[in-house]
Amino acid sequence: MAIALIITDRAVTVLQQQLIEALGQQVPVWSYPNIPQPEVVKMVILWKHPKGVLNQFPNLKLISSFGAGVEHILTDDSISKNIPVTRIVDDSLSRSMRNYVLMAVLNIQRQFRQLQKNQALGKWEKPAVVELPLRIGILGLGALGGRIASDLLTLGFEVSGYSRSPKNIKGLTSFTSDSKPLHDYLTQINLLVNILPRTPATEGMLNLDILSKMPKGSFLVNVGRGSQLVEADLLKAIQLGYIQEAWLDVFSQEPLPIDHPFWETEQIVITPHIASVTDQAEAARIIGDNYRRMETGQDLLFEVDREKGY
Ligand code: NDP
Ligand code: OXD
């Protein structure tokens, strides 16, 4: 019985040490590619894994994503559909995401980028409207979107939300495709925050047709996944005046290629997929707990619904 960490984009020493502390020396925790005995591995933690890598683990019982998203696991056809998949849901991930979105919202509301440009020109100019009136729409009301919505509401912002199934979040008006088509919903907001999971249904969802339903001069914050936004359509939506500023943390190709037109687009703010980053100590608690649950046949925490795809 052992755990394999197959996380290829960062050092995972903290996660490894905390798991050993939580589970004891009798559960070896190996970090890919140093997996001495693949046949004793029962659980793997995946992030940016090489496709097909799980074929070497014949006795696998549980797969966990190292993040909130799980599309990297569900879209890997070499992974057996009979192995349960779990993911990370924790306070630090949702707090950090809330902070990123709040940063974008405040920058937009106070037109901070314009003020910075003025400063660079030595220009003392008060904006015509000090706080832009924002009607914020949160697309996706799960662990992260739900937290963003309720915290922004608490801070006094005008917020509504949209999800697949109805939600009961205190003070929040929210819609589903049954109660209101997305097209109609978007006409009533002027700042869209996308925090959807990547699934076949959400792929390419933010296209020109959708973006142009918002009033001219609207704003976009994309922290879900890059492939949900048709990037060429965002450029068109900017040219046509539908979107006046977009904050993008995720892209169809990451790192964003150096020749991508977004780099040169004044109306776009680019951040390198850092809106919220998994805290290794928090992740170790959830993964350790799920390892024990798997061993003792208890219900798993944060298990993914393969049918829904998230
Ligand atoms: P959850 O699974 O908790 O929530 C997903 C939400 O999206 C749910 O409210 C769900 O509706 C809704 N949803 C799914 N499909 C649709 C659809 N077709 N139409 C409308 N609503 C839909 O996920 P999390 O909140 O934990 O995470 C969301 C995503 O955020 C992750 O999958 C990942 O892609 C992204 N992320 C980005 C990070 C970053 O740094 N940029 C960091 C972490 C996550 P319902 O509630 O009805 O099921
Ligand atoms: C995640 C991410 O899904 O960091 O956790 O994107």
Side-chain angles (χ1 to χ4, degrees), residues 46-237:
L46 299 185
W47 196 255
K48 300 201 186 301
H49 67 276
K51 295 273 179 290
V53 73
L54 296 197
N55 292 336
Q56 61 182 293
F57 303 106
N59 297 309
L60 206 52
K61 299 279 178 295
L62 180 57
I63 301 171
S64 174
S65 171
F66 182 56
V70 291
E71 74 277 10
H72 55 297
I73 301 169
L74 302 192
T75 57
D76 182 343
D77 291 334
S78 71
I79 298 179
S80 161
K81 308 240 174 316
N82 300 321
I83 304 175
V85 175
T86 57
R87 68 190 193 98
I88 302 299
V89 176
D90 80 69
D91 188 59
S92 98
L93 202 59
S94 57
R95 194 179 54 240
S96 186
M97 182 58 85
R98 183 275 319 274
N99 287 347
Y100 180 95
V101 173
L102 180 61
M103 169 186 71
V105 166
L106 289 174
N107 270 274
I108 289 168
Q109 187 195 40
R110 302 305 294 251
Q111 304 148 87
F112 190 65
R113 298 184 74 223
Q114 184 57 48
L115 295 173
Q116 280 184 309
K117 280 182 210 153
N118 291 352
Q119 180 179 341
L121 298 171
K123 199 159 129 193
W124 179 277
E125 186 180 86
K126 300 194 185 201
V129 181
V130 174
E131 286 193 344
L132 291 182
L134 297 178
R135 298 182 305 282
I136 303 169
I138 313 291
L139 182 54
L141 292 171
L144 302 177
R147 171 74 178 265
I148 297 167
S150 53
D151 286 1
L152 289 180
L153 270 178
T154 304
L155 288 170
F157 288 98
E158 186 179 325
V159 189
S160 60
Y162 200 91
S163 53
R164 257 172 44 139
S165 59
K167 293 287 165 240
N168 191 5
I169 297 174
K170 194 164 170 257
L172 185 78
T173 308
S174 66
F175 304 92
T176 66
S177 47
D178 289 338
S179 65
K180 206 184 236 318
L182 185 58
H183 282 82
D184 290 350
Y185 171 62
L186 292 178
T187 61
Q188 66 187 56
I189 63 167
N190 66 356
L191 190 162
L192 176 67
V193 177
N194 173 50
I195 180 73
L196 290 172
R198 181 177 175 183
T199 67
T202 64
E203 208 68 351
M205 198 167 177
L206 302 179
N207 53 31
L208 184 60
D209 184 36
I210 282 291
L211 295 173
S212 61
K213 295 300 177 290
M214 288 197 283
K216 287 215 166 172
S218 289
F219 302 92
L220 172 70
V221 177
N222 189 18
V223 282
R225 283 290 183 260
S227 61
Q228 292 156 351
L229 174 68
V230 181
E231 293 179 339
D233 282 12
L234 173 62
L235 293 173
K236 284 186 208 146

Side-chain angles (χ1 to χ4, degrees), residues 18-55:
Q18 302 266 329
L19 278 172
I20 292 168
E21 234 167 75
L23 297 170
Q25 297 291 343
Q26 68 276 16
V27 183
V29 182
W30 295 313
S31 181
Y32 179 83
N34 302 315
I35 317 277
Q37 291 171 273
E39 67 285 359
V40 301
V41 169
K42 284 197 174 173
M43 181 179 191
V44 290
I45 321 304
L46 299 185
W47 196 255
K48 300 201 186 301
H49 67 276
K51 295 273 179 290
V53 73
L54 296 197
N55 292 336

